Amino acid sequence: METNSEEVHVLAVDDSLIDRKVIERLLKISACKVTAVDSGIRALQFLGLDEQRENSESDGSPLKVDLVITDYCMPEMTGYELLKKIKESSTFKEIPVVIMSSENVLPRIDRCLEEGAKDFIIKPVKLCDVKRLKGYMATREVGVAINNKPKLEEACKHSLSPPSISSSSSPSPSSSPLSVSSVIDSPIRRFKMTDTE
């Protein structure tokens, strides 16, 4: 069995060398091929979107990227701006995009999810977060509908934790940077409850 043909390819974007190395290591532990770049502009260049080149740069060998994970706060181009560029592309718009940030800012999180982000992870990124990312890629490969909004709303109904806070599919107190009680009592969850109803 050839593992290379099945290996998922993740484009990781972060201006912090340390954070970039951490996410790269976690993805490689999870058997992912990783391309790491230090800015949104470099990510667009890698995807061939910097000069509106939506076709593959090399003939007969299309660029295969299964997921983009990007930091939100970066100079020159934010993760939100990169997300918008990817979603505007006819070639890459269905690729899952996940935003990372060390700041849990609700309007920022909501804006990214509304623009089509698959998830919003609060740093530091952990192995359980990366395992969840692989689930998004598997969904895409199977060909399930790529409409993010209904999936996020449905996930919210089946889980106590809101989509704006990083959590694993099997909740455990140590898997999230916030405790379970702080998530339940936080104004974020109250906002989310009224927002969805």
Side-chain angles (χ1 to χ4, degrees):
M1 182 185 218
E2 273 189 323
T3 54
N4 288 344
S5 61
E6 296 181 8
E7 195 174 41
V8 294
H9 184 194
V10 179
L11 175 60
V13 190
D14 202 316
D15 60 312
S16 163
L17 176 61
I18 293 172
D19 288 348
R20 206 161 58 242
K21 291 295 182 187
V22 168
I23 189 68
E24 191 174 355
R25 182 175 174 81
L26 289 173
L27 286 163
K28 285 183 176 177
I29 288 172
S30 298
C32 295
K33 177 185 174 184
V34 186
T35 299
V37 295
D38 61 4
S39 70
I41 292 170
R42 290 275 175 90
L44 290 179
Q45 289 171 347
F46 178 79
L47 294 171
L49 298 176
D50 57 322
E51 297 172 8
Q52 302 303 318
R53 288 175 290 122
E54 300 237 332
N55 295 325
S56 171
E57 288 184 273
S58 56
D59 297 332
S61 173
L63 180 65
K64 180 183 180 287
V65 175
D66 298 293
L67 182 134
V68 177
I69 182 165
T70 178
D71 187 27
Y72 183 92
C73 292
M74 295 184 291
E76 297 182 4
M77 177 180 286
T78 65
Y80 175 72
E81 291 167 332
L82 174 60
L83 167 69
K84 285 184 71 174
K85 291 279 189 187
I86 292 170
K87 293 304 173 183
E88 287 166 5
S89 159
S90 59
T91 306
F92 297 105
K93 66 182 178 183
E94 292 187 346
I95 291 178
V97 179
V98 174
I99 310 288
M100 306 176 287
S101 179
S102 55
E103 299 174 322
N104 191 357
V105 180
L106 184 59
R108 178 184 296 175
I109 294 168
D110 283 342
R111 190 165 67 237
C112 291
L113 294 177
E114 283 165 13
E115 194 60 44
K118 194 73 176 175
D119 203 345
F120 196 104
I121 294 175
I122 305 299
K123 289 182 177 181
V125 179
K126 298 173 295 301
L127 191 56
C128 61
D129 296 319
V130 172
K131 287 177 180 175
R132 190 166 76 251
L133 300 185
K134 290 196 80 173
Y136 298 146
M137 291 180 272
T139 300
R140 180 171 170 266
E141 286 165 8
V142 170
V144 175
I146 316 287
N147 190 345
N148 298 337
K149 199 73 176 167
K151 283 186 182 178
L152 286 165
E153 288 170 1
E154 190 177 348
C156 192
K157 288 176 188 172
H158 295 297
S159 171
L160 281 176
S161 53
S164 58
I165 295 177
S166 172
S167 63
S168 64
S169 55
S170 57
S172 81
S174 61
S175 66
S176 173
L178 299 174
S179 68
V180 173
S181 60
S182 68
V183 169
I184 293 171
D185 296 332
S186 71
I188 292 173
R189 184 169 190 276
R190 289 200 298 275
F191 179 87
K192 278 294 176 189
M193 292 291 284
T194 55
D195 189 39
T196 54
E197 289 175 5

